[in-house]
């Protein structure tokens, strides 16, 4: 059954079904359109809570005080939210911060999003690597990174299993895969409010603030179609990661999944 | 998992000298030829998980070390003294940095697990001694010696005397005050418990 699904020529794009080859193109279109207003819309959609989610994601990474320099890859992290937080944490935890020793690489398939990130980085005076790349086939050698992070990016990837296998490939032995993504709210009290918020409030906000209802409709639908916490953990296991665990934030609105390349 | 066990053993040694911080986990991982990123990956709660593992190990060790022969012909007070002294002696190699582990264990996030481990240990002590109480008595007894244990542990952290005699004298006094030998009934137990909390 799964083989049939893999071989089928169609895939979900939000609630619609489109040809598999077309999905990447359509996702690209969405993000090129929203790139400028991406941060503003994040704030409005999550009422600013996305900052707390990202902060929690970063604190989950543990201590950066190590004897050898660390290397980080943030995938689908175009506008740089996660990368800048990592740089900040490095600055605080390691007294003498030598940018050349700890490497942060940001990759994104969309040049528009990368452009926004580069701009913000130069304003902050940070020196990071910016690479345009598809998560399903990364242009990095194997065994290159200690941390692979992907925040709110994996649901836009066509073949998630392939992307996670790529993650395992580029991670060093003992390297950690961390994923922050919207997930299933199981709480029976919160769940109806969340659904109403998603279905009615956000697309309308999108049309008012960004003048683009369709893109935000896609974003909401892609959240609904995303696998549950357990299903995603199974996909990670299938890709060959070990020590997989996940935890919910905000009643399961988002979840942090973590796995190791052992 | 074999790798996890390897890192646990390595970390158990490192915390004696380096203290209780996530960077010790990172060091243990890099010593096992893994990226230091795997520290939090294997132990989501951080270094405090090592403390929890240690408490579990000590509980098991206690039931092996205190043999029935040691408990013969002794009053209840003395039996409890023996068991608690043995349990506290396991912590000696980890002193004085063990106070950091206590601090971590007392954080609200970790408190439920710490409480569980302690309660389980006190339950083991009473089981070894041969306790047949039921109901509220069962809980009260474990909570009582739990309290005594914790206060003695605090004493031990700041104890500078040779052979920790100050700590053992303190433990003796606590048990004497509690007077387990002469426990009469539930009412008496609860009176004692409430008194010890407020004085």
């Amino acid at each position: 059954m799964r083989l049939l699904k893999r071989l089928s020529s169609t895939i979900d794009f939000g609630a619609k079904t489109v040809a598999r080859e077309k999905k990447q193109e359509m996702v690209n279109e969405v993000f090129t359109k929203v790139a400028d207003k991406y941060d503003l819309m994040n704030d409005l959609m999550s009422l600013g809570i996305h900052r707390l989610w990202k902060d929690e994601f970063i604190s989950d990474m543990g201590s950066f005080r190590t004897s050898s320099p660390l290397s980080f890859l943030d995938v689908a992290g175009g506008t740089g939210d996660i990368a800048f937080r990592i740089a900040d944490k490095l600055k605080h935890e390691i007294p003498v911060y030598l940018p050349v020793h700890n490497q942060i690489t940001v990759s994104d398939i969309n040049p528009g999003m990368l452009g926004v990130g580069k701009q913000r980085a130069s304003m902050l005076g940070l020196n990071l690597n910016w690479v345009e790349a598809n998560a399903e086939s990364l242009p990095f050698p194997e065994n290159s990174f200690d941390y692979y992070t992907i925040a709110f990016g994996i649901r836009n990837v066509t073949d998630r299993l392939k992307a996670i296998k790529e993650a395992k490939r580029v991670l060093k032995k003992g390297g950690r895969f961390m994923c922050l993504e919207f997930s299933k709210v199981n709480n029976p009290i919160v769940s109806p409010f969340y659904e109403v918020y998603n279905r009615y409030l956000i697309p309308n906000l999108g049309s008012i603030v960004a003048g683009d209802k369709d893109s935000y409709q896609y974003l909401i639908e892609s959240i609904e179609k995303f696998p549950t916490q357990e299903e995603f953990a199974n996909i990670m296991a299938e890709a060959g990661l070990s020590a997989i665990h996940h935890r919910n934030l905000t009643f399961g609105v988002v979840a942090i999944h973590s796995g190791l390349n052992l | 998992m074999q790798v996890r066990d390897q890192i646990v053993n390595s970390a158990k040694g490192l915390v004696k000298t380096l203290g209780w911080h996530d960077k010790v986990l990172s060091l243990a991982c890099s010593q096992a030829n893994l990226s230091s990123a795997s520290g939090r990956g294997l132990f989501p709660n951080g270094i405090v998980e090592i403390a929890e593992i240690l408490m579990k190990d000590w509980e098991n060790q206690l039931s092996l070390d205190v043999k029935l022969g040691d408990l013969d012909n002794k009053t209840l007070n003395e039996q409890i003294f023996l068991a608690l002294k043995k349990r506290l002696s396991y912590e000696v190699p980890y002193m004085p940095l063990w106070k950091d582990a206590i601090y971590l264990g007392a954080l609200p996030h970790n408190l439920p697990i710490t409480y569980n481990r302690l309660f389980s240990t006190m339950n083991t002590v009473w089981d070894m001694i041969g306790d047949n109480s039921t109901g509220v008595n069962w809980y009260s007894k474990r909570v009582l010696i739990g309290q005594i244990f914790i206060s003695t542990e605090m004493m031990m952290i700041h104890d500078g005397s040779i052979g920790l005699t100050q700590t053992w004298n303190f433990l003796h006094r606590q048990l004497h005050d509690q007077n387990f030998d002469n426990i009469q009934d539930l009412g008496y137990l609860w009176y004692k418990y409430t008194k010890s909390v407020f004085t």
Side-chain angles (χ1 to χ4, degrees):
Chain A
M1 192 62 219
R2 209 189 290 136
L3 190 63
L4 271 175
K5 189 176 167 196
R6 201 67 63 74
L7 291 175
S8 85
S9 55
T10 59
I11 194 169
D12 59 282
F13 177 79
K16 308 189 188 73
T17 308
V18 302
R20 188 170 272 272
E21 318 81 64
K22 288 242 127 204
K23 174 164 180 179
Q24 192 55 71
E25 213 178 286
M26 295 173 83
V27 171
N28 281 346
E29 233 179 273
V30 167
F31 278 93
T32 311
K33 275 197 254 171
V34 308
D36 281 339
K37 293 256 170 40
Y38 189 68
D39 296 322
L40 171 64
M41 273 311 293
N42 276 346
D43 273 329
L44 281 170
M45 289 205 294
S46 66
L47 306 171
I49 300 177
H50 73 106
R51 294 163 200 274
L52 295 175
W53 290 332
K54 286 167 186 163
D55 288 343
E56 193 61 32
F57 186 59
I58 295 297
S59 81
D60 241 16
M61 290 172 85
S63 172
F64 289 165
R65 286 201 182 100
T66 57
S67 43
S68 50
L70 294 168
S71 59
F72 303 85
L73 174 65
D74 184 33
V75 175
T79 51
D81 267 350
I82 298 294
F84 299 150
R85 281 176 168 80
I86 293 175
D88 204 40
K89 188 171 156 111
L90 280 170
K91 199 162 74 166
H92 283 125
E93 293 208 346
I94 302 171
V96 182
Y97 174 64
L98 293 167
V100 73
H101 286 176
N102 291 300
Q103 292 271 35
I104 304 175
T105 306
V106 182
S107 85
D108 200 303
I109 199 170
N110 189 298
M113 299 285 276
L114 278 175
V116 173
K118 277 187 205 169
Q119 225 178 357
R120 290 173 59 191
S122 67
M123 281 205 298
L124 291 167
L126 288 173
N127 182 24
L128 312 176
N129 301 328
W130 302 87
V131 178
E132 191 177 322
N134 186 333
E136 293 177 22
S137 117
L138 294 168
F140 305 111
E142 61 180 30
N143 215 23
S144 339
F145 300 103
D146 292 286
Y147 285 93
Y148 173 114
T149 51
I150 182 165
F152 302 118
I154 197 112
R155 74 178 187 285
N156 300 311
V157 174
T158 312
D159 192 341
R160 290 167 197 135
L161 180 61
K162 195 167 171 204
I164 303 179
K165 282 185 173 158
E166 270 293 276
K168 184 174 153 74
R169 182 184 71 83
V170 302
L171 278 172
K172 294 180 185 170
K173 183 160 194 280
R176 194 169 173 202
F177 168 88
M178 292 183 70
C179 172
L180 177 69
E181 191 53 82
F182 287 107
S183 204
K184 186 144 171 54
V185 177
N186 282 319
N187 186 306
I189 303 170
V190 175
S191 179
F193 292 105
Y194 182 59
E195 267 178 60
V196 165
Y197 186 74
N198 267 358
R199 210 162 289 177
Y200 298 108
L201 214 70
I202 291 181
N204 291 321
L205 258 181
S207 70
I208 296 169
V209 174
D212 184 0
K213 186 171 179 175
D214 289 336
S215 299
Y216 289 95
Q217 188 70 29
Y218 160 73
L219 287 172
I220 298 309
E221 288 167 0
S222 65
I223 292 172
E224 268 175 48
K225 286 278 170 171
F226 195 72
T228 63
Q229 286 86 329
E230 287 75 25
E231 284 168 10
F232 190 67
N234 288 336
I235 298 175
M236 284 167 71
E238 208 185 315
L241 294 174
S242 324
I244 299 168
H245 52 84
H246 59 87
R247 69 181 183 109
N248 285 345
L249 301 174
T250 320
F251 302 109
V253 173
V254 302
I256 300 176
H257 281 82
S258 160
L260 295 179
N261 175 25
L262 284 174
Chain B
M1 195 193 303
Q2 201 203 15
V3 174
R4 194 190 151 98
D5 290 336
Q6 196 186 352
I7 295 182
V8 165
N9 286 332
S10 174
K12 278 182 190 173
L14 289 171
V15 289
K16 289 179 187 170
T17 46
L18 293 177
W20 296 85
H21 191 275
D22 277 347
K23 65 186 174 192
V24 175
L25 266 182
S26 301
L27 184 60
C29 289
S30 42
Q31 281 181 348
N33 286 323
L34 292 177
S35 161
S36 52
S38 46
R40 270 297 193 100
L42 289 166
F43 305 98
N45 261 342
I47 194 79
V48 76
E49 292 204 16
I50 305 291
E52 289 161 12
I53 292 170
L54 275 172
M55 287 176 81
K56 191 100 209 189
D57 284 349
W58 289 336
E59 183 191 325
N60 295 333
Q61 188 71 25
L62 186 63
S63 52
L64 292 172
D65 273 351
V66 179
K67 304 184 184 47
L68 282 175
D70 298 332
L71 296 174
D72 268 348
N73 300 323
K74 290 204 171 71
T75 62
L76 192 56
N77 263 6
E78 282 174 25
Q79 288 176 337
I80 299 175
F81 175 80
L82 213 78
L84 290 183
K85 178 177 176 186
K86 195 79 192 154
R87 171 60 177 79
L88 282 168
S89 67
Y90 298 145
E91 292 182 14
V92 171
Y94 293 86
M95 290 294 185
L97 292 168
W98 181 250
K99 65 172 165 31
D100 293 332
I102 296 177
Y103 160 72
L104 284 176
L107 291 174
H109 185 59
N110 304 318
L111 197 55
I113 303 178
T114 312
Y115 178 82
N116 260 332
R117 294 278 197 262
L118 272 173
F119 197 87
S120 174
T121 308
M122 298 305 125
N123 191 27
T124 310
V125 169
W126 274 117
D127 280 348
M128 273 189 325
I129 292 170
D131 175 52
N132 289 323
S133 57
T134 52
V136 187
N137 267 341
W138 187 88
Y139 287 99
S140 310
K141 280 181 167 176
R142 280 137 188 82
V143 169
L144 276 167
I145 59 166
Q147 253 187 302
I148 294 172
F149 175 79
I150 292 171
S151 47
T152 318
E153 201 179 10
M154 294 295 150
M155 186 74 202
M156 199 160 96
I157 292 170
H158 298 291
D159 189 4
S161 61
I162 300 169
L164 296 170
T165 44
Q166 209 177 2
T167 309
W168 309 137
N169 290 338
F170 178 81
L171 185 55
H172 262 304
R173 286 198 304 273
Q174 290 279 72
L175 288 170
H176 186 260
D177 284 346
Q178 202 62 52
N179 211 357
F180 282 103
D181 293 335
N182 297 324
I183 286 178
Q184 299 298 318
D185 56 34
L186 170 64
Y188 184 72
L189 261 178
W190 271 110
Y191 161 69
K192 275 288 191 182
Y193 176 60
T194 322
K195 189 173 167 198
S196 65
V197 166
F198 288 107
T199 55

